[in-house]
Amino acid sequence: MSMTQAAHDIQTTKRDVMSSTQTEAQPALATIRDLEVRFRGEDGAWNPAVEGVSYSVGRGEILGVVGESGCGKSVTAFSLLRLHDPAATKYAGEVSFEDEDVLAMDEAALRRLRGRRIGMIFQNPMSSLDPLFTIKDQLMETVKVHFPEESRQEALERCRRALSAAGSDDPDGWMARYPHQMSGGMIQRVMIGLALLGDPSLLIADEPTTALDVTTQAQVLRVIKQLSRERDMSVILITHDMGVVAEVCDRVAVMYLGQVVETAPVEELFAHPRHPYTRGLLASTPPMAGPIPDRLSAIEGSVPRLASDHVGCRFATRCPLATAACVAEDVEMIDVGSSARHDVRCIKTDLALEEVPA
Ligand SMILES: Nc1ncnc2c1ncn2[C@@H]1O[C@H](COP(=O)(O)OP(=O)(O)OP(=O)(O)O)[C@@H](O)[C@H]1O
Ligand code: SF4
Ligand SMILES: [Mg+2]
C-alpha cells in the first residue's frame, strides 16, 4: 500500500461532511447534506443536477461558492428555499435551516421562509422588478405580503430603513423612481433592500455583481459585507470571481459537477489549495483576483454531464493525477486542516500538494 493510500485510509472515516469551520457543538444556521436534485427532462427522464452535495453556513459567516458554469451552485443554494417547480423537481437528502427541515415544509412555511427568514438577490435584478411600478410600490408590496399587520407608516419606515441599510443616502428619492430611472448599481442596492425587508438571518446572493462595473461591484460587495458584520447575517455568495471571494468571504466551497470538492477558510484555501481542481481554478485566474474563465488554462477538457450511475472521482476525466484507484469507488471528503477544518474530496491530497502546477 502506498503512503498516499495509507494516509487516505487513516483519515477517511465515513463521517458527516459538515464542511464548517465551526465546532459541531455550535450548530450551523443552514445545512445541506447529501442533497440530490433531479429535474424532469422533456423525455420524462429525471436528470440529476446535483448529487451528494453538502455544505453548511455558520451564523454571521460569509460562504463563497465557486466553480465552473453548470456545476450546480444556484440549484444547490436555491434548494434552501425550494424555489424550483415542484412538478418537475425531485429532492433527496437533507436541507435544514435553523434546525427546521426545509424539504418537509408546507407552502405556508415556505412563504415565511422566502424573503423573510432568507433573503435573495439574483444575478439579473432588472428581471425581478416591474418596470411599470415605482420602487416604493414594489417595496411596499413585499412588506404587505410579509407584514400585513403593519400600518402604512410603519411599512414605509421599514422600506426606508432597508434602503438605507443597502447603501442609499436618499431612500425617499429612490422610492419615487421607476426602475428605468436608476443606474445598475442603484438597482442592485434596491434588490439588497428588498432582500432585507424581512430582516433575514441568511442572504443568498447569486452572482450579485456580475452585471456591474468594477467600482459599483466594489460598493455593492462592501454593503453586503458590512450588513453581514452589523447584523450577524449569514451570506451565501455565489460568484465566478476569485477576487470577490478573497475580498469578501470567510470560507469557500469549491463545486465541481454537482458536488463540493474542497472547502476551507478563505486564507487557507488561497494559501494551500489541495484539490487539483481548485489548484486549476486558481492557476487559471490572475493572483487573488479576476473571474474564472470559461476554459481553464491549467485544466484540460471541459465539464462532462453528471450521470446518475457515476462511480469514482467526478474530476478524474480531467485530472492530471488520475489513476485507476480514483475511479474504483466514490471519493469521500477528508479533513486535511490543522487549526481550522479544511475538507478535500481527493485520495491524493498529499501528492496534489507537490505535483499539480499552481
Ligand atoms: N430548472 C432546471 N431544469 C432543468 N435543469 C436545470 C434547471 N436548473 C438548472 N439545471 C441544470 O442543473 C445543472 C446545474 O445548474 P446551476 O444553474 O445550478 O449551475 P451553476 O453552477 O449555477 O452555473 P452558472 O455559473 O452558469 O450559473 C446544470 O446542468 C443545469 O443545466
Ligand atoms: S481523486 Fe484522483 S482523479 Fe480525483 S482529484 Fe484526486 S487525484 Fe484527481
Ligand atoms: Mg448559477
Side-chain angles (χ1 to χ4, degrees):
M1 185 187 285
S2 70
M3 286 294 287
T4 313
Q5 189 61 48
H8 170 249
D9 287 346
I10 290 164
Q11 291 181 74
T12 305
T13 49
K14 280 206 168 190
R15 59 172 165 72
D16 289 341
V17 183
M18 286 292 289
S19 308
S20 173
T21 51
Q22 307 211 314
T23 62
E24 252 120 275
Q26 190 185 6
L29 179 76
T31 300
I32 291 168
R33 203 184 312 233
D34 257 331
L35 176 70
E36 178 182 305
V37 183
R38 287 170 185 269
F39 295 113
R40 197 179 53 214
E42 278 170 13
D43 57 358
W46 291 92
N47 306 311
V50 297
E51 202 174 46
V53 61
S54 303
Y55 64 64
S56 63
V57 56
R59 284 183 191 273
E61 181 181 50
I62 306 182
L63 174 73
V65 179
V66 298
E68 284 167 283
S69 194
C71 67
K73 302 181 294 295
S74 302
V75 166
T76 305
F78 288 116
S79 299
L80 276 161
L81 297 155
R82 294 226 329 255
L83 276 188
H84 310 108
D85 172 10
T89 313
K90 276 187 186 168
Y91 297 97
E94 189 186 323
V95 179
S96 69
F97 180 72
E98 291 178 331
D99 291 330
E100 288 176 51
D101 180 355
V102 173
L103 297 185
M105 282 183 184
D106 61 16
E107 274 306 312
L110 282 175
R111 270 197 302 277
R112 281 194 298 278
L113 190 70
R114 294 171 186 153
R116 183 155 173 175
R117 300 173 63 196
I118 302 180
M120 301 160 274
I121 312 176
F122 299 101
Q123 180 172 355
N124 185 0
M126 268 305 192
S127 63
S128 311
L129 291 175
D130 190 326
L132 300 177
F133 291 90
T134 61
I135 300 303
K136 181 163 98 183
D137 291 336
Q138 309 196 41
L139 289 168
M140 289 290 275
E141 188 60 34
T142 304
V143 177
K144 223 186 312 173
V145 171
H146 293 306
F147 302 93
E149 71 287 358
E150 287 195 349
S151 70
R152 189 175 161 74
Q153 266 321 310
E154 286 169 331
L156 265 176
E157 208 32 60
R158 181 180 286 280
C159 297
R160 287 191 190 104
R161 275 200 312 273
L163 281 183
S164 296
S168 166
D169 49 6
D170 178 20
D172 285 302
W174 284 31
M175 281 198 279
R177 298 190 192 205
Y178 288 89
H180 73 269
Q181 296 171 317
M182 307 187 94
S183 68
M186 288 163 93
I187 289 283
Q188 196 53 296
R189 270 170 283 187
V190 168
M191 298 312 297
I192 296 174
L194 263 169
L196 294 178
L197 284 172
D199 295 321
S201 45
L202 172 66
L203 179 69
I204 300 176
D206 193 356
E207 307 270 3
T209 58
T210 307
L212 305 175
D213 64 71
V214 175
T215 316
T216 317
Q217 262 190 27
Q219 287 165 355
V220 168
L221 291 170
R222 212 173 307 128
V223 167
I224 292 176
K225 187 159 186 169
Q226 198 178 333
L227 285 167
S228 167
R229 296 296 179 254
E230 285 171 4
R231 299 172 170 228
D232 205 23
M233 181 179 73
S234 310
V235 180
I236 296 177
L237 181 64
I238 299 171
T239 177
H240 272 99
D241 195 322
M242 283 296 194
V244 169
V245 171
E247 186 81 27
V248 180
C249 299
D250 301 311
R251 198 160 53 84
V252 196
V254 179
M255 288 191 66
Y256 184 77
L257 205 56
Q259 236 177 11
V260 173
V261 295
E262 181 160 15
T263 180
V266 71
E267 300 82 11
E268 163 76 8
L269 189 101
F270 277 87
H272 307 292
R274 297 290 287 271
H275 196 285
Y277 179 62
T278 312
R279 293 171 74 85
L281 280 186
L282 291 171
S284 302
T285 56
M288 300 296 272
I292 296 167
D294 286 341
R295 294 199 70 78
L296 302 180
S297 56
I299 306 175
E300 292 281 314
S302 52
V303 188
R305 274 186 70 87
L306 175 58
S308 44
D309 55 356
H310 191 96
V311 177
C313 173
R314 294 184 195 170
F315 188 56
T317 53
R318 299 171 75 194
C319 181
L321 300 179
T323 59
C326 302
V327 290
E329 54 185 43
D330 287 343
V331 179
E332 300 293 322
M333 281 289 222
I334 55 170
D335 183 0
V336 297
S338 44
S339 51
R341 191 145 174 185
H342 182 165
D343 289 332
V344 186
R345 195 182 293 280
C346 174
I347 63 169
K348 300 183 179 180
T349 48
D350 47 351
L351 266 183
L353 197 58
E354 294 156 17
E355 295 183 15
V356 180

